[in-house]
Amino acid sequence: MKTTAKTAQGLPERPAPPELPLRERKKLRTRQALVDTALELFTARDFTAVTLDEIVDAVEVSKRTFFRTFTSKEDVALAPEKELWAAYLADIETRPLDGEHPLGAYKDALFAALEQTADGWEQRFLASRGLADRTPALTAHSLRHCSEVSAEAVRIMADRLAERSPGRTELRLLLDLMLAAWRCALEAWTSPETARQDRPALLRHMREAFAAIPAVAALAARDA
């Protein structure tokens, strides 16, 4: 009997995307080279000490090429984070919502977005997160981006649910609850005591954090 491949969450595995045209593959390779090189330079030295000229020279591309892909040094430094949330919003925009609770949709979209990230994403994300933790300019940029993503996710969900929407305030609070669980998972995953910092370990911490949400919601309802 034929079986269907499963993802780390037990969901059916998505089919591989069709191969991109050569031009698009070259763009993606250049983009990845810029991200890898920038993160390597920022980590080895300091975000503020590395110039844009050094990044483009190391990759052997022009500044024009850089700015066709990124808007700033901050943008390239936070690329792994932004890749994840761009995939997240795309999933929220298209996933079936019939009968699904908004919190479940928010949560499942994050697992789906993580599954779409390229090989090695977790190492790039860890490097980017480490930079943000010790660089105020990157922290501010990350917080602003998180606010923008949150607003867009709520807008998409409210528009798609239409008259079935529980209200934007409720949708935002549900999203914030999911994001709080995500941050708890990240803290556990990036802790110095954590033996493994690979993707399966991150997924395990996410499942544990999300599993705690119903009990937390029950506590909030009891104390309201």
Side-chain angles (χ1 to χ4, degrees):
M1 181 174 65
K2 184 178 179 180
T3 58
T4 302
K6 299 287 184 178
T7 65
Q9 288 71 52
L11 301 173
E13 196 171 67
R14 293 171 181 253
E19 187 164 331
L20 295 171
L22 177 61
R23 181 182 178 85
E24 294 303 314
R25 295 202 303 272
K26 286 182 176 179
K27 286 182 179 179
L28 286 176
R29 284 197 295 269
T30 299
R31 185 185 194 281
Q32 197 58 65
L34 285 166
V35 173
D36 290 341
T37 300
L39 290 175
E40 183 178 348
L41 290 172
F42 293 152
T43 302
R45 293 160 59 190
D46 183 77
F47 176 77
T48 57
V50 177
T51 67
L52 181 56
D53 285 328
E54 289 177 286
I55 297 171
V56 297
D57 287 348
V59 184
E60 298 183 333
V61 298
S62 66
K63 282 187 178 180
R64 179 179 296 180
T65 297
F66 178 91
F67 284 117
R68 279 200 292 262
T69 307
F70 301 104
T71 61
S72 62
K73 281 171 51 180
E74 288 82 2
D75 196 24
V76 71
L78 295 175
E81 173 184 320
K82 293 189 174 186
E83 289 166 10
L84 177 67
W85 294 110
Y88 179 80
L89 290 177
D91 190 274
I92 287 287
E93 188 80 66
T94 59
R95 81 168 29 253
L97 295 178
D98 292 342
E100 184 170 16
H101 191 280
L103 180 59
Y106 285 146
K107 178 194 69 173
D108 292 344
L110 186 54
F111 278 115
L114 185 59
E115 287 165 1
Q116 293 174 37
T117 57
D119 291 343
W121 173 87
E122 53 270 31
Q123 285 75 38
R124 293 187 290 274
F125 179 82
L126 284 168
S128 176
R129 182 177 173 86
L131 283 169
D133 287 344
R134 60 180 182 269
T135 309
L138 288 178
T139 299
H141 192 98
S142 178
L143 288 172
R144 184 170 65 252
H145 178 253
C146 180
S147 178
E148 292 168 353
V149 169
S150 295
E152 182 65 6
V154 170
R155 183 199 66 76
I156 293 170
M157 189 69 78
D159 288 350
R160 293 195 61 205
L161 290 174
E163 67 275 2
R164 296 190 294 115
S165 175
R168 292 199 177 222
T169 298
E170 290 81 0
L171 287 174
R172 179 57 190 260
L173 290 173
L174 288 171
L175 178 64
D176 287 346
L177 183 57
M178 188 279 291
L179 291 174
W182 161 248
R183 286 190 290 270
C184 287
L186 284 184
E187 288 173 6
W189 183 53
T190 59
S191 169
E193 289 77 31
T194 300
R196 292 174 51 190
Q197 291 184 326
D198 54 13
R199 193 171 308 204
L202 174 57
L203 292 169
R204 176 171 55 80
H205 287 300
M206 289 170 63
R207 288 191 294 270
E208 291 172 355
F210 290 142
I213 289 179
V216 171
L219 283 173
R222 187 188 69 185
D223 296 336

